Amino acid sequence: ICQNVLIYYIKEAGIQIFDKIASATSQSGYLLMGPSEQPFKSLGFEFRQVFKQAKIYKKISSDRNIS
């Protein structure tokens, strides 16, 4: 995964990209983001920041059924 990529997209495209990344992340997976990036609030997915200095987030819930 490339860091600092989402900042170059308009908000709508960034939300779509983040939604795909979130759906591909395993139920207890981690998300690493670049220093300039913020996770978009994606419907049905929730990430909790576990290490602020390195912007590491852990997926803590998913309302979607991934098969």
Side-chain angles (χ1 to χ4, degrees), residues 16-27:
Q16 289 178 348
I17 293 167
F18 183 75
D19 191 51
K20 289 180 188 213
I21 291 170
S23 67
T25 303
S26 69
Q27 181 60 33

Side-chain angles (χ1 to χ4, degrees), residues 1-2 5-24 31 37 40 42:
I1 302 214
C2 299
V5 172
L6 291 175
I7 61 174
Y8 295 104
Y9 291 95
I10 60 171
K11 185 177 181 179
E12 292 78 16
I15 290 171
Q16 289 178 348
I17 293 167
F18 183 75
D19 191 51
K20 289 180 188 213
I21 291 170
S23 67
L31 174 66
E37 296 175 314
F40 292 100
S42 182

Side-chain angles (χ1 to χ4, degrees), residues 33-52:
M33 299 196 82
S36 301
E37 296 175 314
Q38 294 293 326
F40 292 100
K41 294 200 181 221
S42 182
L43 282 177
F45 292 99
E46 189 174 342
F47 287 87
R48 177 175 49 90
Q49 194 166 14
V50 294
F51 191 66
K52 191 173 187 173

